[in-house]
Amino acid sequence: MDNSVLQQAKQLLADKSKKIVIVSHVNPDGDAVGSSMGMYHFLKNDKFTNISVISPGSFPEFLAWMPATEQIIIASENQSKARLAIAGAELILCLDFNDMGRTDQLAEALEKASAPKILIDHHPDPLDQFDLVLSQVSASSTAELIYEFILALNKQHLIDDKIAQCLYAGIVTDTGSFSYACNNPRTYYITAHLISLGIDGEKIQRQIYDTYSEDRMRLLGYCLSSNLKVMLQCKTAFIYLSKNDLSRFNYREGDTEGVVNYALSIKGVQIAAIFIERDDVVKISFRSEGDVNVNTLAREYFNGGGHKNASGGHSSENLENTIKTFEKLIEDISKDDFRLLRVSRDNH
Ligand code: 5GP
Ligand code: MN
């Protein structure tokens, strides 16, 4: 961790009565909630007295077990409270995103806020919207960076089981239970330390992954049996869901989390996608294998971004046309084995 950045962060955290806002991205995942709540409990343990955690939107139920998630201000449900907290903040901690646009309707309020903003994140190419940037693309998760940050502040003794549970959840979810973005011994040392504090890693795994409703499980079955298209000659497979499909299975926040990974599990598939019809746009998630960079794909063609092997974006065309556009694009860029997307630089 860069020493001068760390010193500046220390200064910004010198006054424990400061009004601190912790904010993460829209469609919060385990790392967004885990890193936010890990930071929240750390600041509490460090005797900060005025901390608000804001999420642009609601989070999936399978993350609600993390201690104190009831404290989270869901901006889409309580705009005025979220905006008031941001306007009154004296320090803003931006976690697990690097482009204010990822905070949805909060972006403008955050950009206007007078408080200094510290970014802690692991996505490539942060925008120039933050006063202090702690960014490490090689980290498995932002949760891992929160751990490193606490250590760099010499506050390791404050890591209790609440912090450990939240950070563990962030690491587990962002690595797909240690199956990607984790070829780094450091991730395992950190995980080992968190487990050594007495948390129940097996229980956390069950709470996140073995809590499907019947509807969610049947939606997954439907995706795989009816709405999966495999373009094996293009090393691509994708899944699509219309609004009707979602309502048929009583869709709830988080129900499509992880579905795209099944398409990537097909032998010979290097790019997977899922297209989900929402009210105004089609939300897209991309996943890829190895050095095929779907961050570029999301950025260049689908108004999004993310990591090398996990990215997302959206399209304003309808579902059918979005899929057509994607198929044509894939047919085109797969002709030379995705040369356009292959990268040599270390870009998770
Ligand atoms: P997911 O597909 O699970 O929604 O997101 C995968 C990754 O892509 C995450 O790291 C997320 O931050 C990023 N991502 C998803 N949607 C968008 C988007 O619309 N814009 C940008 N810039 N990143 C996205
Ligand atoms: Mn993350």
Side-chain angles (χ1 to χ4, degrees), residues 32-43:
V33 179
S35 59
S36 295
M37 295 316 294
M39 179 60 94
Y40 170 84
H41 290 294
F42 164 66
L43 293 174

Side-chain angles (χ1 to χ4, degrees), residues 276-332:
I276 303 172
E277 189 181 30
R278 299 257 187 250
D279 282 337
D280 40 356
V281 292
V282 176
K283 168 82 183 95
I284 315 167
S285 291
F286 297 108
R287 298 293 184 270
S288 65
E289 255 183 28
D291 64 354
V292 177
N293 188 340
V294 283
N295 178 17
T296 308
L297 186 70
R299 248 182 217 216
E300 303 277 324
Y301 301 98
F302 296 99
N303 314 296
H307 305 277
K308 183 180 75 172
N309 295 134
S311 67
H314 65 269
S315 158
S316 305
E317 293 187 281
N318 66 25
L319 183 61
E320 200 187 325
N321 288 338
T322 303
I323 290 173
K324 273 190 195 150
T325 302
F326 174 73
E327 285 178 305
K328 263 180 70 190
L329 179 66
I330 285 294
E331 276 162 13
D332 202 28

Side-chain angles (χ1 to χ4, degrees), residues 115-130:
K117 287 148 219 158
I118 304 182
L119 175 73
I120 306 181
D121 178 58
H122 66 135
H123 293 86
D125 309 320
L127 295 191
D128 188 19
Q129 298 170 319
F130 309 90

Side-chain angles (χ1 to χ4, degrees), residues 29 31 96 122-123 140-142 174 307:
D29 54 14
D31 193 28
D96 201 37
H122 66 135
H123 293 86
S140 69
S141 53
T142 300
D174 256 26
H307 305 277

